[in-house]
Amino acid sequence: MTLLKVAGLNKRFGGVIAAKGVTFELEAGDMLAIIGPNGAGKSTTFNMVGGQLRPDSGEVLLADKPVSGLAPRDVWRRGIGRTFQIAQTFVSMSVAENVQMALISWHGRILSFGARAQTLYRSEALDLLDLVGMRDDADRPVRELAYGDVKRVELAIALASAPKLLLMDEPTAGMAPKERSQLMDITATIARQRKIGVLFTEHDMDAVFAHADRILVLVRGEIIADGKPDEVRANARVKQVYLGDMGVAAAMRARRGRA
Ligand code: ADP
Ligand code: MG
């Protein structure tokens, strides 16, 4: 059974068409990247899948059951998780406690007022931290961590709800290239092991082409290409409207770097 089916999603903001007939599928265990220039409609598409935005028309099906129109929390309950930045209020808590809080929330446990999540789901939290390579840092406050390590904790938190599908909208924004490919490596390994489908966006084309099983190219709300990395790389329209632009952008960045 196909994990995710997105069929004919349309979304308009006033005069802007942010999504036009967006249609694609994602299999369990696969990494699917959505790329496209700024304003192409990537976040709009993510938010329609995650329930943050209601499409004007079209449908989102998770394991053949419709989830479009449900509230974000209900979409999450059905098995669509996403990475969120750790809230400022939680940075004083330890790494493990942050993951324990996510597990408590997922399992619907209510803590007595003022209690801390010291023991509940501790071993499950440590297992998730092991998965993302952060177990040794379990008892450090999050505020002490390097940025790339915080991102790995955010991934462990997203995994606490055992999602079938994980949405990652620019997960590596602001990260150094090495940390970036590390995070994508870990994500790809976990996706394959646990048969989680991952839908992600990413500005770094090297990271996209290295980690995606399939790539969708979105331009002005429309999918202009959908295929394996090699197919997308060779697609004439993609080269023309998108990778061409990116080539120019990369060249300008490189020039600024040298100046
Ligand atoms: P991307 O994530 O690919 O950069 P977005 O999905 O954020 O693109 O935006 C697609 C288009 O829709 C852009 O033109 C953007 O300005 C517009 N847009 C996105 N969200 C809103 C909104 N809430 N209100 C009005 N316009 C929006
Ligand atoms: Mg965006």
Side-chain angles (χ1 to χ4, degrees), residues 31 171-172 180-188 200 202 207 211:
M31 300 271 290
T172 67
R180 203 182 282 169
S181 85
Q182 246 178 13
L183 184 74
M184 294 316 298
D185 279 341
I186 292 170
T187 305
F200 72 105
E202 171 62 63
H211 294 98

Side-chain angles (χ1 to χ4, degrees), residues 100 103-104 109-111 117-125:
Q100 286 170 262
L103 286 160
I104 288 164
R109 299 285 293 258
I110 295 164
L111 289 179
Q118 271 155 357
T119 52
L120 265 183
Y121 300 110
R122 165 98 184 163
S123 68
E124 292 88 340

Side-chain angles (χ1 to χ4, degrees), residues 13-14 16-18 36-45 53 169-170 218:
F13 295 107
V16 175
I17 297 171
N38 272 334
K42 302 181 295 295
S43 293
T44 299
T45 300
L53 262 183
D169 192 354
E170 300 191 25
L218 204 59

Side-chain angles (χ1 to χ4, degrees), residues 5-90:
K5 287 185 189 157
V6 170
L9 288 184
N10 291 302
K11 185 73 190 179
R12 198 182 241 285
F13 295 107
V16 175
I17 297 171
K20 189 175 175 193
V22 170
T23 299
F24 63 90
E25 295 189 353
L26 170 52
E27 303 294 337
D30 273 4
M31 300 271 290
L32 175 61
I34 303 187
I35 63 172
N38 272 334
K42 302 181 295 295
S43 293
T44 299
T45 300
F46 268 83
N47 290 335
M48 289 192 288
V49 175
Q52 285 77 19
L53 262 183
R54 187 185 279 267
D56 296 338
S57 58
E59 215 176 16
V60 178
L61 300 161
L62 185 73
D64 287 339
K65 293 203 185 74
V67 293
S68 29
L70 297 180
R73 198 174 166 85
D74 296 324
V75 173
W76 176 69
R77 280 268 161 227
R78 297 285 183 91
I80 301 183
R82 62 190 302 168
T83 48
F84 279 109
Q85 290 189 319
I86 292 173
Q88 212 47 43
T89 42
F90 291 152

Side-chain angles (χ1 to χ4, degrees), residues 114-190:
R116 293 188 101 196
Q118 271 155 357
T119 52
L120 265 183
Y121 300 110
R122 165 98 184 163
S123 68
E124 292 88 340
L126 293 180
D127 288 345
L128 288 171
L129 289 170
D130 204 24
L131 210 55
V132 299
M134 289 297 293
R135 195 190 166 114
D136 290 348
D137 298 284
D139 295 315
R140 293 175 63 194
V142 167
R143 82 158 88 73
E144 281 182 8
L145 300 182
Y147 188 63
D149 291 345
V150 174
K151 291 287 178 181
R152 285 197 274 164
V153 177
E154 287 171 358
L155 178 58
I157 288 171
L159 292 170
S161 61
K164 299 183 181 84
L165 171 70
L166 190 58
L167 305 177
M168 301 174 89
D169 192 354
E170 300 191 25
T172 67
M175 290 172 85
K178 194 177 156 217
E179 289 179 330
R180 203 182 282 169
S181 85
Q182 246 178 13
L183 184 74
M184 294 316 298
D185 279 341
I186 292 170
T187 305
T189 305
I190 295 170

